Amino acid sequence: MLVNEIKSLLKKELVLEWRGKYALGGILLYVLSTVFVAYLSFVKVIDVKTWNALLWIIILFVSINAVSKAFVQEDKSKTLYLYSLASPQGIILSKIIYNALLVWIVSLLALGVYVMLIGNVVQNMGLYLLALSLGSIGFSTILTLVSAIAAQSDNNVTLMSILSFPILLPFLITLIKLSGGAIDGLAWSVLSKYVIVLGLLNVIVVILSYILFPYLWRD
Amino acid sequence: MGQIKDYWWKVLGVALVFYAIVAGLLTDVPKLPILNETIRNLYYHVTMWFAMMILMTGSVVYSVKYLMGFNIDFDRKARITAGIGILFGLVGITTGSVWAQFTWGAFWVNDPKLNGAAITLLIYLAYIILRNSLDEEQKRARLAAVYNIFAYVLLVVFLMILPRMTDSLHPGNGGNPAFSSYDLDNDMRKVFYPAIIGWTLIGVWMGQIRYRFENIEKKLHADD
């Protein structure tokens, strides 16, 4: 039941995104511009820590931009119609899945362009991609719920950032640790604890969103 | 005049804080390198954080209660409690800064406990901004309650994982003398724990006064 609902809502999101390609194009261009700004400012980043932190900051800002439209985009009447058709759980889960996909693609692109321009220092790319994937899920879940809150206020751009930055930090710090280990090519036995922490964090935020979203949507 | 059973906790709060101030300055403290006599700040600085976290927990409980019945009074209580928690946090960060200047030689150092404190304040200041950017009472209450719960859980997780990610300058980490190792064989705990309870009770009292003050204001405006 819920699975079918999520499937059709997800399809709706994808079709809408495809119809309004300029929004997707906007985010992709945002990635390119941001990485290019970083490239022109740094040219080559020798210090591994700086390389890593810079990439994660880029991904953080790109994610906020990608997800912030999750609830703002739709107009009031369409939203009401949608909410009369679907359950809040279905809506939040489909939005989370869709945004996770979006953030994942966008951060992969960011990584690709970043490596091309600034150079590659990662020794264990597989593990780095794992960190990127786990981060995408967490970032998008938190940002989706926060955007549902911020969309109902007047100054949603500022609110989106100030509400989400402090609560994104547990993710960001763990991710930087894990990806830093991947860059240095540390053994899996050293890094597995970060993967577990990230997995648990993801479970926590998804469950919280699932429980709390029904209180947000009815107006 | 109320009954003693209604306000005994206020008397207790004042007595405990008074006791903590007097005993904190007069009793013997262990002589430790680096810390020396500034260790007495433990009674005034660390207790602020404990009281703040207890108040923030109270605020979350009120937010949950609000979402269960949509009674606007719980939302007001959640906001007032969080506000007093922020006040305690600001006092805690100030006393901590002064202490850090004396012991570590800087007002701010990169330390998980300091960063945790800063994040806590950022979250609750954002909570206040969120409240102020919404006009409609019930909507504001709903959104603020959801954010309060969501942020609180992540904050607790953050405070749990952060110290395991980085080294701390605080006692017990990274070669600093630990409190717990000598706490047990002297009298510091006898002052420390009462101080936490005392400050928390004072915080609750402040919240109650604020709450009643708002009730009176509401009544006055209703007559206009």
Side-chain angles (χ1 to χ4, degrees), chain B residues 159-199:
Chain B
L159 295 179
M160 280 190 319
I161 65 169
L162 187 61
R164 286 165 183 78
M165 295 288 163
T166 38
D167 209 9
S168 176
L169 285 169
H170 269 82
N173 307 81
N176 278 285
F179 286 130
S180 54
S181 61
Y182 53 80
D183 255 5
L184 289 168
D185 46 87
N186 71 42
D187 296 335
M188 285 196 83
R189 277 192 182 172
K190 285 185 197 152
V191 182
F192 182 61
Y193 290 122
I196 294 172
I197 299 167
W199 283 116

Side-chain angles (χ1 to χ4, degrees), chain B residues 135-147:
Chain B
D135 294 326
E136 200 190 313
E137 200 180 36
Q138 288 287 350
K139 187 164 137 186
R140 173 174 62 202
R142 235 168 353 100
L143 298 186
V146 168
Y147 183 70

Side-chain angles (χ1 to χ4, degrees), chain B residues 48 51-63 74-90 120-129 131 144-145 147-149 151-152 155 203-204 206-208 210:
Chain B
M48 284 297 141
M52 179 188 79
M53 280 319 288
I54 294 170
L55 287 170
M56 292 317 189
T57 311
S59 172
V60 169
V61 171
Y62 282 131
S63 283
F74 284 130
D75 175 61
R76 282 172 54 210
K77 284 179 181 167
R79 164 174 53 81
I80 291 167
T81 319
I84 289 162
I86 291 176
L87 180 70
F88 276 48
L90 290 175
T120 314
L121 284 177
L122 282 181
I123 286 178
Y124 282 95
L125 291 174
Y127 170 77
I128 299 290
I129 303 259
R131 297 195 61 98
Y147 183 70
N148 197 359
I149 298 166
Y152 179 82
L155 174 66
V204 175
M206 284 161 73
Q208 197 191 43
R210 178 87 206 134

Side-chain angles (χ1 to χ4, degrees), chain B residues 33-51:
Chain B
I34 309 173
L35 290 167
N36 299 323
E37 286 292 315
T38 66
I39 196 171
R40 293 180 193 280
N41 201 4
L42 175 83
Y43 304 134
Y44 312 115
H45 159 67
V46 185
T47 50
M48 284 297 141
W49 295 120
F50 277 82

Side-chain angles (χ1 to χ4, degrees), chain A residues 132-154:
Chain A
L132 215 61
S133 314
L134 287 169
S136 309
I137 300 172
F139 278 18
S140 59
T141 311
I142 290 182
L143 289 170
T144 305
L145 194 83
V146 169
S147 102
I149 295 175
Q152 299 195 32
S153 79
D154 301 326

